[in-house]
Amino acid sequence: MKRKLVCLLSTAVIVSILSTGFSVYSVDNSMYTTYSGFKTSEVPVLPEKEVHPSLWFNSSDIEKMRSKKDADSYAKQLWDTVFSSPELSMPFPSEVKSSDSGEKIRKYYGDISRIAKYNAFAWLMTKQVKYRTKAINALKKAYTGPIYSMPPQQRGPVDELRRGPWLQNFCDAYDWMYNDLSPEENTNIRAKLKKEASVIYDNLEVWAPRPHNHLSKPAWGLGSAALTLSSEPEAKEWLRKSLYEVNRNTSYFFSSDGVYREGSHYFMFSLVNMVPFLWNYKNVSGVDNFKIYKPAFEWALIIRNGRGWMPNIEGSWLKPAPLHMVAAAYMKDSTPLNSSAKLGNLLQWSYFKTDISLWDDNLKKDSKKDMQFPEKKKPDTNDKKNPPEKDKSYEKDKSKMPPINSKGLLNVDYTGSGSDHTWLLDEYMLYRPEIKQIAPNCSATVFLDEGGQTIFRNKWAYKDPKSRYLLFHGVAESDNQYNYDHLSFTIHAQDQLMASDAGYTRQDFSDPIRETWYMQGEAHNTVLADGKAPQDININQTPLSKYNIDTSFFDFQQKEAVYQNGNKIARSVAFPEQDYFVISDYLSGNSNSKYDLLLHGGRGKMSGEGDFRLWTYDTDRYGSASKLASWVLTSSKANYTDKSGEVCYIKGDYGSFGYLDVSCRTNKAMFMQILIPLGVEEKVPSMENLSSNDYIGAAITKNNIRDIYLQQQDSNEISAKGLSTDARFIYFRGNEKTPKWMFKEGTKLSYNNTIMAVSSKPVCLAFDFSSANKYEGEITGITSAVEIKIKNLSGKNVSKLTLNGKSLKFSESSGYCIFDVSEPGKVSIEFIK
């Protein structure tokens, strides 16, 4: 597999391509040290004395842990799930041989580790001897068999991804059974754990030279082992290496504002080992690394859509964020997401306002009705990207459905860790019923400019048809699990997934179609230049974000990237009245290029022609019946082509759905997409195309209210519908008395010969004139002092002007409020009442 990253690094050389598709690089070390992530202290801290139990709770906490089941119905549900788990009743699996199948070997070690942990916990909670006996016998069987004679190749039956959870499971069981072991049993079991810790310590960088999840997961496991066996002379060095290797991961795959570059799936995959280690370190040694990891958990809250799901971008399916499992760690931490509540309250709210039915084994589903399969389609023998001999995407294959258990229930695991994890048991231990659920109350639009994601959202709501959500995605590429999806977007509105990402793949990383379709630019809501998606300007450099506006009447941001051929793209998202979305693209190059704008409407039925498409959605497992109306306008003659491609929101539930490709060939191009979510019975708004040879323009009338947009490549004087401007983009709603408006990279805007605003230099400015007592707005795009003149339509004198809440000097002349600004921010002009 050829990786785009190699094109960006002259020092990067592919050493080998593993059979799994992972590329191993020999690179300048700066590749992994120049991103904006975070690190904890690498100085290992161990307790003065080894005490058991201590990883999750101590002896004095056992009764409290036991009685938690009576605190509320959810705690009781978790308790019942733990005590009905098969690990408590299943017989021990037969010992495996190296000649056995990989699946049998992997399952053997996973089963033994989980049997040990579940039964050890059950013993402490109930004191039933059967659990004690089974837990000790499982610990005695730890790592028996061929594990040390088999090389832990990536994605093999005993690979490094498995060894992290296995070791943490055994360590938990040992911690809980320690006081019930005979000296001989303790010596035997402790030697097994010590050997595995030493093997992981010796091989971490051999198994995973690059700092992705193949390194971090076993490293977190090694850290837990060091805390468990803290009196061992090697323990401090184990913990030091664990912290060092994990820091390599968090400094490269996380941004300083918490964005995880591999996407939601691998974030959740990492939590399986990350969360236990963070709690283990805090409980055993008193080291609170939750403070350093705080942005990562805030990020998972920030990017949740209207059903609480993290998006299926990069290498990911939709994922819930089980943030309640870390809520207790943040009950003293303030957050900008709420003016008074603690972050822990918001994390608790987030999980319990998440639709987990997609992954709930206890929820009955009509899986055959909901499951979508692509229709047969004759392969395109001219399609070099998807050769027919490799692409099976259009064959009906019901074997690809998620497994169904004997009760006919959908059986989907959202952790990505298969049967190695003990997530529900961990959830019981970490759930704190006493933590009050409190929603965020800050602005629902959030800019994560360091990491490169922006969420345009009108409210922090759950399953609300009136909610609007757009994720604007511009994250610097990593060398693992990235997609060609720069400057793409996804929409969740009307309680439905609308303009959506194709997702991760069908079933597994090794699916051939993952590379030929799902990770390709064609599968994302972006713009291709000569068939290529946008890319980073430089290694680890996030696409530039600018012109951030967040007001009650208009939100906005622009991101910029480049193409492999040197072409450039500037894409902006406008969120007028926090109701619908307008996407504007500016593309330029030194010679003619073929540009393809791609608009995917998710799992809806596509209809329409010309510049208009309508996606209609039925009520399904992903949301409510609804519609998405869209128009795509261009500055050049364009071809509008209906296509179909796979979409997969959760593992196994894939299908072929319609999307639009708008293409043109030119050296400079502009596109404007108008995307309006609607109720299923709601009337489609009208669109009047105002475009000319000089600009793109549209007038949208919805509920008898008209919004006007103009977009131009340069900074010429343009006019339409009474509007005149030299700005490169404008929005205007209302009349000459009470308008709301915005312009980008301009110096003036007038309507019906009334000049609304003048700037001495090009800026980005938005204002709401609808109140006669106060005008509110925001100014950005300022690099030096600028004089601003704002028209006073109120007929009253100005009493006060503030910038970011601080008073600013002003003057009045000829009906204008005049002031100088040298920094961006929110502007308020108050009038004498």
Side-chain angles (χ1 to χ4, degrees), residues 317-328:
W317 293 294
L318 295 172
K319 291 289 171 177
L323 298 176
H324 62 313
M325 295 174 71
V326 297

Side-chain angles (χ1 to χ4, degrees), residues 98 102 105 109 146-163 166 199 203 206-207:
S98 58
I105 294 171
Y109 290 111
I147 186 169
Y148 295 117
S149 64
M150 302 181 69
Q153 297 169 338
Q154 286 179 334
R155 298 179 66 76
V158 295
D159 75 5
E160 61 276 4
L161 289 175
R162 312 289 181 183
R163 298 177 89 131
W166 295 345
V199 169
N203 290 282
V206 176
W207 295 337

